[in-house]
Amino acid sequence: MEGGQAPRVAIVDYSLGNLFSVKHACEKVGLQPFISSDKREILAADAVILPGVGAFGDAMECLRQRDLIRPLQDIAESGKPLIGICLGQQLLMTESFEFGRHRGLNIFEGPVIRFENPVGPNGPLKVPQVGWNRIYRPDYLKQRCVGDCWHDSPLQGLRDGEYMYFVHSYYVKPADPSVVLSITRYGHIEFCSSLRKGNVMAFQFHPERSGPQGIQIYHNLARLIIQHCHKEEIRRAA
């Protein structure tokens, strides 16, 4: 980002993403998004969003065919904001057991597993989970913070128990509980609904389909991306 221009955000196109609703949400909060499958363009962006719907194995194969696996891993290591949405969050994990066993990007250690017979107060629940569900602060955050436990995160300013929109049959199970940003319950199953490790952030739900609260997440992401751009400008000028 130079000369006061809006940060350029690459939305990765690997034929399995909900691209245009993500692009519209980015535009709404003042970012400058573009859709690309060109690794040079993606690496040159100020931030990268990895969206996704569909099957994990197909998605990894599409990323492999476009030679995007190593570039995405390099972005995660570089300190540049990398944001996963829905299947995009799952792809950041070590592996998935959806229709076999498939290696992921391994940016977060841990598997992606299927909802196994979730049961609610009125009996068995359908899989996939489709619709609105709540996100909550995990206990470890509540224990170590005073005030907004989501301060300076993509969820800053949201209430504990806010509703978000989900569509999924699988969920991530990170090995390190300290990367869990929010949890959600589907019947008797409690699962990680968002993650953060430094510059890498991801959501199982769709912020761009979650109304005003979802747009608040995009506002927060824009703020974090701008902060990163300013730090990079200062570093390059030093």
Side-chain angles (χ1 to χ4, degrees), residues 137-146 149:
R137 300 177 178 109
D139 286 340
Y140 85 91
L141 276 183
K142 293 178 182 178
Q143 292 168 1
R144 75 183 192 187
C145 72
V146 176
C149 297

Side-chain angles (χ1 to χ4, degrees), residues 69-150:
I69 290 178
R70 186 66 248 177
L72 288 169
Q73 292 169 333
D74 289 343
I75 289 164
E77 293 170 3
S78 74
K80 182 181 295 184
L82 173 62
I83 300 143
I85 298 174
C86 196
L87 178 60
Q89 171 174 273
Q90 296 177 12
L91 295 174
L92 299 176
M93 305 303 293
T94 303
E95 60 184 349
S96 172
F97 294 90
E98 183 177 13
F99 305 121
R101 188 174 185 177
H102 306 279
R103 185 76 174 174
L105 295 170
N106 199 36
I107 293 167
F108 290 95
E109 184 180 350
V112 181
I113 60 176
R114 194 176 194 273
F115 282 124
E116 289 295 337
N117 305 314
V119 178
N122 299 315
L125 298 175
K126 291 182 179 180
V127 177
Q129 174 186 203
V130 180
W132 297 89
N133 203 343
R134 296 178 182 270
I135 60 170
Y136 297 95
R137 300 177 178 109
D139 286 340
Y140 85 91
L141 276 183
K142 293 178 182 178
Q143 292 168 1
R144 75 183 192 187
C145 72
V146 176
D148 184 359
C149 297
W150 286 330

Side-chain angles (χ1 to χ4, degrees), residues 22 60-61 109 148 152 191 209 225 232-234 236:
V22 173
M60 286 301 299
E61 180 58 28
E109 184 180 350
D148 184 359
D152 202 30
F191 67 94
R209 299 177 64 183
I225 292 167
E232 282 297 295
E233 289 174 356
I234 292 169
R236 287 194 292 264

Side-chain angles (χ1 to χ4, degrees), residues 67 80 99 167 199 237:
D67 192 23
K80 182 181 295 184
F99 305 121
V167 183
N199 59 301

Side-chain angles (χ1 to χ4, degrees), residues 2 7 17 53 66 72 81 95 99 108 121 128 130 175 185 192 217 237:
E2 295 180 2
V53 293
R66 290 161 173 77
L72 288 169
E95 60 184 349
F99 305 121
F108 290 95
V130 180
R185 303 180 188 99
C192 168
I217 291 175

